[in-house]
């Protein structure tokens, strides 16, 4: 034994090399460098200016130019809910409902319980025949802003398409109570027998 110990002391080999790879202790993974998730203040400011310009262009009917500006704004600040919402409205106007839904979803995620992105997404869902998804958004929107006539009217349309006459009638009734001369809500209420 002593001879073996003396013989091993003179050797210069790694005893770890005798352990199979699968049995060796693993090194802890190195922490990844933090991703750049923060947007610079300069980018936020520029994105806000581009969003305002895009909104102005959209109001004047220059949707192609507005879309370009919204794209630039979102490129600078992907957390710009106004730019996402504005871009979604343009997509919706062009019947590009899948793109609109994606932007409405992002805007809604950045501003939970805000009615406009929920209503916009529900409208695109209805255009695509995804009535259950639309109804879910409209339920949430009606809770967020129970005084919004458009939400109640659109909710009535969604439930009417789902065949739920009771919920449709309740929604149309609420819309008429808020705005008695709302023709869409009144005709919807007449259709479902409310």
């Amino acid at each position: 034994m002593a001879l073996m110990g003396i013989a091993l002391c003179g050797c210069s080999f790694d005893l770890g090399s005798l352990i199979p790879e699968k049995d060796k202790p693993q090194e802890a993974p190195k922490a990844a460098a933090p991703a750049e998730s923060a947007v610079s203040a300069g980018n936020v400011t520029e994105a806000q200016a581009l969003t305002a310009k895009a909104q102005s262009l959209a109001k004047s009917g220059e949707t192609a130019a507005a879309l370009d500006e919204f794209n630039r704004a979102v490129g600078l600040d992907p957390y710009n809910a106004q730019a996402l919402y504005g871009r979604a409205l343009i997509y919706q106007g062009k019947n590009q409902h899948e793109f609109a839904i994606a932007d409405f979803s992002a805007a809604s995620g950045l501003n939970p319980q805000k009615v406009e992105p929920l209503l916009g997404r529900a409208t695109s869902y209805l255009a695509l025949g995804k009535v259950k998804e639309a109804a879910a958004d409209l339920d949430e929107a009606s809770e967020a802003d129970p005084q919004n006539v458009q939400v109640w009217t659109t909710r009535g349309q969604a439930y009417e398409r789902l065949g739920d006459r009771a919920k449709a009638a309740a929604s149309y009734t609420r819309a008429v109570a808020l705005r008695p001369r709302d023709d869409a809500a009144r005709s919807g209420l007449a259709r479902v027998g409310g």
Side-chain angles (χ1 to χ4, degrees), residues 79-102:
Y79 307 108
N80 185 327
Q82 285 182 312
L84 288 163
Y85 177 74
R87 187 170 75 174
L89 289 174
I90 291 174
Y91 286 142
Q92 191 175 60
K94 293 179 168 196
N95 291 323
Q96 295 176 327
H97 293 289
E98 293 295 341
F99 290 129
I101 288 168

Side-chain angles (χ1 to χ4, degrees), residues 149 153 157 171-173 175-176 179 182-190:
V149 174
T153 301
Q157 293 166 352
S171 297
Y172 288 135
T173 299
V176 170
R179 188 184 307 146
D182 189 299
D183 290 335
R186 290 168 47 147
S187 65
L189 189 57

Side-chain angles (χ1 to χ4, degrees), residues 12-83:
S12 63
F13 68 87
D14 179 17
L15 291 176
S17 66
L18 298 175
I19 301 172
E21 281 297 316
K22 66 179 179 77
D23 294 333
K24 287 185 181 178
Q26 297 298 314
E27 215 178 280
K30 293 181 178 140
E36 284 296 317
S37 61
V39 178
S40 74
N43 281 3
V44 170
T45 302
E46 188 176 347
Q48 288 171 343
L50 290 169
T51 300
K53 181 179 177 184
Q55 289 169 333
S56 178
L57 288 166
K59 284 180 185 171
S60 66
E62 297 178 54
T63 56
L67 184 59
D68 288 341
E69 296 301 315
F70 281 131
N71 284 333
R72 289 180 55 210
V74 170
L76 287 170
D77 179 8
Y79 307 108
N80 185 327
Q82 285 182 312

